[in-house]
Amino acid sequence: MPEPEIGPYDVLVETLAAGVCGTDRHIVEGTFYRSAYPAIVGHETLGRVVQTGKDVRYLTPGSLVLRTTAVRPGEQLGEWHSMLGGFAELAVATDVRALTEDGRADLVRPYDRMQRTVPGDFDPLDAGAFIVFKETLSWLRTVGDVAGRRLVVIGTGGAALMFIQIARSLGARQVIVVGRRQERLQRAKELGADGAIVGADDTPTTIRELTDGEGADLVIDAAGATATLEAIPDALAHGGTLAVYGLSVGQSATFRWGWDRSTPRDWTLRFAEPDEAGIHDEALALLSSQAVDLKSILTDVVAFSDAATVLDVMNQPTSAKVAIDFQAERDRR
């Protein structure tokens, strides 16, 4: 593909590593809500600045930048469309601070605001996990305070494992995880879950038993498992919340409610939008306090030359978070 060109407020970066997300799988499978091919996928990237535009002031050669992209959303690079555009050896980021100070805030794209820097000793292979951490942390902040509450997390993927750690660090009273694979459920318990349930028709009953009959104050769907999701309201405490994070494009769920239902009749169905850019500084501070472990969800690393295999790796029972290593092969050249 052509090399990306930088403008006066842009920087050129060498991509060091990238996480692989379920969104990338949906794009490849043609089930994402946008479709324009051929396309460059990938958004959980980290790159090192190698060249700066003439008006760049706050990104310098050597800076490590998240969410770099070879072609921005809505644009093209030659024949290539952007499906967030990060899986490329060379990519671009924008100095949003300089643009804003120069009165050009109207030129700042929403995606540019997520292109934030990390410390020089940050492990590039943790980029995907860190972006998941920021997204889940900001999403949970929006949903509500978890301190002293009983939580249920549906799923055992990377996002679910991160929700468990965050809930623990924020003072949740109890955290229960629902999943399908025993190995992943065991990992969830190692990361702080008090109880683990293999999802089945009697999941709500089991949740009530584990919560001493009270039910869950907050259930987080981190998997999009519709059958489990539809039954979960029966596991909520009165006034509880079911917050949907993992329901994917093309999926749907039907929830029952009525005066004939005793457990419960008063509950909230909640959707929330994460604020990855706004939570960045707090997330870095929490990392330095070791409240969460990014390596805990990274299960697989794939070389850039084998990147076409990442979806197969993601589908393995033991896989939670997959990273593509761009740097190792570049160093050997």
Side-chain angles (χ1 to χ4, degrees), residues 35 80 122 132 144 223 302:
S35 59
W80 298 91
F122 188 93
V132 171
V302 175

Side-chain angles (χ1 to χ4, degrees), residues 8-25:
Y9 289 94
D10 295 332
V11 297
L12 185 70
V13 305
E14 287 183 340
T15 305
L16 302 181
V20 187
C21 175
T23 299
D24 301 316
R25 176 166 50 200

Side-chain angles (χ1 to χ4, degrees), residues 98-261:
L99 257 179
T100 303
E101 287 182 353
D102 292 349
R104 309 298 301 277
D106 59 305
L107 298 179
V108 177
R109 306 163 184 84
Y111 196 78
D112 298 344
R113 297 187 184 280
M114 294 185 283
Q115 295 174 332
R116 303 292 297 275
T117 59
V118 293
D121 60 353
F122 188 93
D123 186 344
L125 292 176
D126 288 339
F130 184 52
I131 288 170
V132 171
F133 171 48
K134 291 199 294 180
E135 185 170 295
T136 51
L137 175 63
S138 65
W139 185 91
L140 197 53
R141 291 282 197 210
T142 301
V143 168
D145 186 10
V146 302
R149 303 178 75 189
R150 297 182 185 270
L151 267 67
V152 171
V153 178
I154 303 173
T156 55
L161 296 179
M162 196 60 76
F163 274 126
I164 291 167
Q165 295 183 74
I166 294 170
R168 274 292 173 220
S169 71
L170 297 180
R173 176 182 174 187
Q174 184 179 18
V175 181
I176 298 167
V177 61
V178 179
R180 293 180 295 134
R181 301 185 177 105
Q182 289 289 355
E183 304 95 332
R184 300 271 282 275
L185 290 170
Q186 179 58 38
R187 184 58 177 147
K189 293 175 70 173
E190 292 169 359
L191 292 174
D194 300 294
I197 302 170
V198 178
D201 293 339
D202 60 350
T203 295
T205 300
T206 307
I207 291 172
R208 289 201 167 272
E209 291 172 353
L210 291 176
T211 57
D212 300 322
E214 294 184 20
D217 301 305
L218 173 63
V219 175
I220 299 170
D221 158 48
T226 55
T228 301
L229 194 59
E230 290 175 342
I232 279 293
D234 289 336
L236 289 170
H238 287 286
T241 298
L242 169 56
V244 179
Y245 175 89
L247 205 61
S248 301
V249 175
Q251 290 184 291
S252 62
T254 302
F255 301 103
R256 295 172 295 121
W257 181 93
W259 291 108
D260 60 329
R261 301 175 63 77

Side-chain angles (χ1 to χ4, degrees), residues 57-89:
R57 298 191 291 278
Y58 298 106
L59 298 174
T60 59
S63 294
L64 300 182
V65 187
L66 293 165
R67 289 279 204 169
T68 55
T69 175
V71 53
R72 295 181 178 90
E75 300 179 2
Q76 281 186 240
L77 179 65
E79 67 173 329
W80 298 91
H81 297 268
S82 175
M83 289 295 186
L84 304 178
F87 292 168
E89 290 186 284

